[in-house]
Amino acid sequence: MKKIFSQYKDQLEFEVLSGGMILPEEPVSIAATAKYIEGAYKRVEEITGIRFGEDYLWHIKNPQLSDWFPDSEKPAIALCVFKDYHPELQVSFAADLQYALHFEGRDLTDDEAYRLLLDKYNIPDDEFYEKLHDEKYKEEAHYEFALCKQLKVTGFPAVFLQLAETKFWMIAEGFTDYDTLNLRIQNVMKENNVAL
């Protein structure tokens, strides 16, 4: 996505929506999914070329010792807050959140997980943390979850191209390599007589 964003940022508007992949009614330990992730992460590395960090994998390999209770709500709220500061950089921030979790092993349900990103993007700590606990941003995050449901997103990540108020094309659901995603964008644009 970072490469697609870099290529098209002057021609297309980009918006990152949080889909709410993990929204338990009651907190659920990482132990509930650790065995599955431990069996699947190497395949994800093979397909995508990314690497999971040892700090993340420690929680997967030692779920009985981990204090993680994954939940998508707080990172979604953080993204909504971030959009107030740098809406043009939301693709970068979303990528940084994924890296913080899956490589650096940061628990995104912990407020402190965001501190380094605040420095990177020059966001005032006090303001950010006040907004992170503001009901307004929680409502924005839940609106995004609802919008993703309305768009019938069932796999993450998903990529849509919107060319009119109510015209959306799903061009990716789940991992999609750059060349395939780029070709799909070009094809939808050509089919709809939109010049890039």
Side-chain angles (χ1 to χ4, degrees), residues 126-140:
D126 292 346
E127 276 182 27
F128 175 84
Y129 286 116
E130 186 178 322
K131 290 178 179 183
L132 188 64
H133 295 282
D134 186 324
E135 197 64 27
K136 171 191 175 215
Y137 294 97
K138 181 177 179 177
E139 287 172 11
E140 286 180 17

Side-chain angles (χ1 to χ4, degrees), residues 16 32 43-44 49 113 127 129 156 191:
V16 178
R43 180 78 178 126
V44 172
E127 276 182 27
Y129 286 116
F156 298 96
E191 288 168 15

Side-chain angles (χ1 to χ4, degrees), residues 1-9 11 14 47-49 159 171-172 174-187 196:
M1 276 312 303
K2 288 193 299 185
K3 193 172 176 183
I4 289 289
F5 172 72
S6 179
Q7 180 175 344
Y8 290 105
K9 67 183 175 186
Q11 297 133 315
F14 285 77
I47 293 169
T48 66
V159 180
I171 57 173
F175 172 75
T176 306
D177 65 72
Y178 166 80
D179 290 332
T180 303
L181 190 55
N182 187 37
L183 183 61
R184 289 176 183 170
I185 291 169
Q186 305 242 346
N187 287 340
L196 284 175

Side-chain angles (χ1 to χ4, degrees), residues 22 24 26-39 56-71 107:
I22 303 171
E26 296 291 329
V28 177
S29 168
I30 190 68
T33 54
K35 192 160 195 70
Y36 170 78
I37 295 169
E38 188 171 14
Y56 170 78
L57 291 174
W58 181 89
H59 292 274
I60 302 307
K61 294 175 180 178
N62 302 282
Q64 71 286 0
L65 301 175
S66 177
D67 60 354
W68 278 12
F69 288 79
D71 192 317
D107 177 0

Side-chain angles (χ1 to χ4, degrees), residues 19-177:
M21 189 168 99
I22 303 171
L23 293 171
E25 288 185 27
E26 296 291 329
V28 177
S29 168
I30 190 68
T33 54
K35 192 160 195 70
Y36 170 78
I37 295 169
E38 188 171 14
Y41 86 88
K42 288 181 183 168
R43 180 78 178 126
V44 172
E45 288 183 335
E46 287 171 20
I47 293 169
T48 66
I50 62 101
R51 292 288 168 257
F52 288 89
E54 287 306 313
D55 291 332
Y56 170 78
L57 291 174
W58 181 89
H59 292 274
I60 302 307
K61 294 175 180 178
N62 302 282
Q64 71 286 0
L65 301 175
S66 177
D67 60 354
W68 278 12
F69 288 79
D71 192 317
S72 298
E73 186 178 70
K74 189 170 284 185
I77 295 168
L79 179 60
C80 289
V81 172
F82 180 83
K83 290 176 188 181
D84 273 1
Y85 291 97
H86 302 292
E88 75 287 358
L89 297 176
Q90 54 190 286
V91 170
S92 298
F93 187 75
D96 286 343
L97 286 178
Q98 291 294 321
Y99 184 82
L101 172 64
H102 293 112
F103 191 81
E104 296 174 336
R106 297 186 187 280
D107 177 0
L108 299 183
T109 66
D110 180 355
D111 286 5
E112 286 303 308
Y114 303 93
R115 198 163 297 278
L116 288 175
L117 293 177
L118 300 182
D119 292 343
K120 177 178 179 178
Y121 290 101
N122 207 17
I123 296 173
D125 292 18
D126 292 346
E127 276 182 27
F128 175 84
Y129 286 116
E130 186 178 322
K131 290 178 179 183
L132 188 64
H133 295 282
D134 186 324
E135 197 64 27
K136 171 191 175 215
Y137 294 97
K138 181 177 179 177
E139 287 172 11
E140 286 180 17
H142 282 267
Y143 173 78
E144 290 187 6
F145 301 156
L147 185 55
C148 288
K149 278 186 182 173
Q150 187 178 352
L151 290 169
K152 300 187 181 343
V153 174
T154 57
F156 298 96
V159 180
F160 289 86
L161 189 57
Q162 180 182 6
L163 297 179
E165 183 77 25
T166 58
K167 281 194 147 188
F168 293 86
W169 284 262
M170 182 184 280
I171 57 173
E173 190 171 33
F175 172 75
T176 306
D177 65 72

